Amino acid sequence: MNAISIVIGSICILMIAYRLYGTFMAAKVLKLSDANPTPAHQLEDGKDYVPTNKWVTFGHHFAAIAAAGPLVGPILAAQFGYLPGLLWLLIGAVIGGAVHDMVVLFASMRKQGKSLSEVAKEELGPVAGFCTGLAMLFIITITMAGLSMVVLHALENNPWGTFAVGITIPIAMFVGLLYKKTGNLKVASTLGFILLMVGVFAGPYIQETALGDLLTFDSRTLGFILPIYAFFAAALPIWLLLAPRDYLSSFMKIGVFVALIIGVFLINPSIQFPALTQFTGGGGPIMAGPVWPFISITIACGAISGFHAFVGSGTTPKMINRWSDIKAVGFGAMLVECVVGIMALVAATALQPADYFAINSSPKVFQTLGMDVVHLPELAEKIGLNLEGRTGGAVTLAVGMTYIFTKIPWFSHLSSFFFQFVIMFEAVFILTAIDAGTRVARYLIQDFFGELYKPLKKADWLPGSIFASALACFLWGYLLLSGDIGSIWALFGVSNQLMASIGLIVGATVIMKIADKRWYALTCLIPLAYLFVTVMYAGYWMIANVYLNPANAGYSVLNATLSVIMLVLGIVILIAAMKKWNELWQAPRFRINTKAA
């Protein structure tokens, strides 16, 4: 198998899916029409509700949803071979992820851009709404702290990366101000992109300077800086910092992967991994579980991810200019993210399996595999860094992309530059999700605690915005600094996909309310059935084999308790939804349509 076949075939499948299935969802299922104004127009306040150009909104949405998941998940899932990850990315993204993102965005916009917990309360009742809100607060806090930890390790004692990431903040504010004043998106985008590239390529030259020393931070200092930045990103008007920063970052994100696609076409690397490895039945060095359900838990973003529901019912529905933009922003951004995941999978599986496992396993575990590294010593020498035992996926992606890029003769001597650039690129990728996620957490806190103090529910109430933003940053910032998040990070895979199940539950309910035909609800019910069963079994497997197994290194009664709480919340929400579905199934318009048919 060669990489070109995978890339061309995947892109063709996704383009056809967008043209056919995306259009069907927009025209038939959701019946999108531009006749009515969107919440961005109805509630325009110049701060949170701001009608925004479709492609700026696409850039924000894509940058916000495409965090570490489509980069790291497919790399870790390569343990099972290239085929399971590839199939799950394509099938999951088209049947599950794109539909999930589109219907959640639509459902939120129908309720004036409210969070998914508020939508669930109105659609399914107060019990389901409360459980959804609790689950969302729990998951978003874990997500923000976990993603921030990845950024800490990428930027720790790394002035180049810190400068390149930090310079995007004033550049974004400049672009936001310029666009608001002139309304000329092309000029603002061009200037912003040029400044962004200058900032990126200036990074290496500041490392040995006074500025470089000033930007050399340890992890604890960064642990304070990131929540402070996120506070301003959540509290400031969305047009000033968050939207233009995410929009500009999307240039880099898409640009890097376009470059990777070009690199694949130029050198056509062979996929060194087999379709299936010996670890599909379990017992692997990276994930101990079997290929199912863990392929669908490990690869979330890129296929289907509950984190997208936070963005789709948070910042994005308050920015959509026309209802028809939902197709490009909701359905389209998910498919582009799938391409990112596929390219990450290609980068990982283009490495020799022994090199891959040496990077992603501890030296002690790797010795038990009976494998001998092939190109790793040579790559480590060129990059100038010991690569063995650097688990987590981020380094594997950087090594894989460096390996592909430096096969091009012009770039053969730039291994160290490419490696550091990709590490920085990953940090930018993740940071855009942190700022958008924190803003979404602010909305959730205002909705959730607004039941106790009504003024807090007002999105345009400045004291409420400041309080909710500060509380959101404190919650995940505390976990980040205390390190407690490390003990429950394994919960993220299950809880994230449980959140996706909740999004599909709400989406199915909305479709049943508006659909002309009952079977349209299957667009959500089919992926929901698979995902819910997968999540429940994965949660049970982790509890039985890891959290409550004293012989396992991951033994934790706390993790088991938290897992049970999350799974019970999911079951309660599903039961409430099934009662509602039974009522909607008997709707008079369905009976009339059936008789007419």
Side-chain angles (χ1 to χ4, degrees), residues 166-249:
I167 200 68
T168 62
I169 298 171
I171 293 174
M173 296 180 74
F174 166 74
V175 169
L177 289 167
L178 181 63
Y179 177 54
K180 187 172 182 63
K181 185 174 181 179
T182 65
N184 193 324
L185 181 60
K186 290 183 179 179
V187 171
S189 300
T190 302
L191 288 176
F193 181 71
I194 292 172
L195 291 173
L196 186 66
M197 289 299 98
V198 170
V200 169
F201 288 102
Y205 301 103
I206 63 99
Q207 291 189 98
E208 305 300 329
T209 66
L211 179 59
D213 294 337
L214 186 65
L215 294 176
T216 302
F217 300 117
D218 58 24
S219 60
R220 185 165 184 81
T221 303
L222 288 168
F224 282 102
I225 291 174
L226 286 177
I228 292 172
Y229 158 73
F231 167 78
F232 286 104
L236 288 173
I238 198 167
W239 60 264
L240 179 60
L241 176 57
L242 190 146
R245 186 185 184 283
D246 290 354
Y247 173 64
L248 290 174
S249 297

Side-chain angles (χ1 to χ4, degrees), residues 29 52 56 71 103 144 149 164-165 167 175 194 235 249-250 302 344 352 388 408-409 423 502 518 537 558 575:
V29 180
T52 308
V56 175
L71 302 178
V103 297
M144 293 302 97
M149 280 187 170
V165 172
I167 200 68
V175 169
I194 292 172
S249 297
S250 67
Q352 291 289 336
E388 294 184 12
I408 301 172
I423 290 293
I502 295 171
R518 284 193 185 111
Y537 180 69
L558 174 62
I575 292 173

Side-chain angles (χ1 to χ4, degrees), residues 211-525:
L211 179 59
D213 294 337
L214 186 65
L215 294 176
T216 302
F217 300 117
D218 58 24
S219 60
R220 185 165 184 81
T221 303
L222 288 168
F224 282 102
I225 291 174
L226 286 177
I228 292 172
Y229 158 73
F231 167 78
F232 286 104
L236 288 173
I238 198 167
W239 60 264
L240 179 60
L241 176 57
L242 190 146
R245 186 185 184 283
D246 290 354
Y247 173 64
L248 290 174
S249 297
S250 67
F251 279 108
M252 180 184 292
K253 293 178 179 182
I254 295 175
V256 167
F257 279 95
V258 168
L260 180 57
I261 291 172
I262 293 172
V264 166
F265 274 82
L266 288 176
I267 69 169
N268 190 19
S270 297
I271 300 300
Q272 303 296 330
F273 271 60
L276 300 171
T277 68
Q278 68 267 38
F279 302 119
T280 53
I286 301 171
M287 291 168 288
V291 65
W292 185 84
F294 282 89
I295 190 69
S296 300
I297 299 302
T298 305
I299 300 179
C301 297
I304 181 171
S305 170
F307 176 70
H308 296 191
F310 294 104
V311 182
S313 66
T315 52
T316 304
K318 300 173 177 66
M319 300 167 62
I320 295 287
N321 186 42
R322 299 185 305 170
W323 286 94
S324 58
D325 293 350
I326 291 176
K327 177 186 172 184
V329 175
F331 203 93
M334 180 64 242
L335 299 188
V336 174
E337 188 182 20
C338 178
V339 175
V340 172
I342 289 169
M343 296 311 300
L345 181 66
V346 167
T349 54
L351 296 173
Q352 291 289 336
D355 295 344
Y356 164 87
F357 284 111
I359 297 173
N360 285 284
S361 310
S362 67
K364 183 178 180 181
V365 171
F366 180 69
Q367 289 179 0
T368 66
L369 300 180
M371 298 180 177
D372 295 318
V373 295
V374 182
H375 300 303
L376 198 61
E378 177 187 351
L379 288 168
E381 183 179 355
K382 289 181 178 180
I383 291 171
L385 189 69
N386 179 27
L387 301 174
E388 294 184 12
R390 292 184 175 268
T391 59
V395 170
T396 305
L397 176 63
V399 171
M401 291 180 69
T402 300
Y403 176 74
I404 291 174
F405 283 139
T406 54
K407 286 290 183 180
I408 301 172
W410 302 323
F411 304 140
S412 60
H413 60 292
L414 297 176
S415 295
S416 179
F417 178 89
F418 276 119
F419 179 84
Q420 291 293 346
F421 179 82
V422 174
I423 290 293
M424 179 275 301
F425 155 76
E426 290 178 280
V428 171
F429 224 115
I430 295 166
L431 203 59
T432 52
I434 291 173
D435 53 25
T438 303
R439 196 177 190 95
V440 171
R442 179 200 122 193
Y443 297 147
L444 286 173
I445 289 171
Q446 288 186 262
D447 284 340
F448 198 72
F449 293 103
E451 296 296 327
L452 303 176
Y453 186 62
K454 296 298 182 184
L456 196 59
K457 275 185 172 289
K458 297 179 181 177
D460 58 349
W461 187 49
L462 185 60
S465 299
I466 293 174
F467 166 76
S469 300
L471 180 59
C473 293
F474 172 79
L475 289 174
W476 68 257
Y478 174 78
L479 291 176
L480 178 66
L481 288 168
S482 67
D484 290 344
I485 188 65
S487 64
I488 57 173
W489 175 247
L491 290 172
F492 174 67
V494 172
S495 62
N496 185 54
Q497 299 302 61
L498 179 61
M499 190 68 247
S501 298
I502 295 171
L504 289 170
I505 287 172
V506 173
T509 307
V510 171
I511 290 174
M512 284 189 189
K513 281 191 170 184
I514 68 168
D516 296 326
K517 300 178 181 178
R518 284 193 185 111
W519 70 267
Y520 285 170
L522 293 177
T523 56
C524 286
L525 294 178

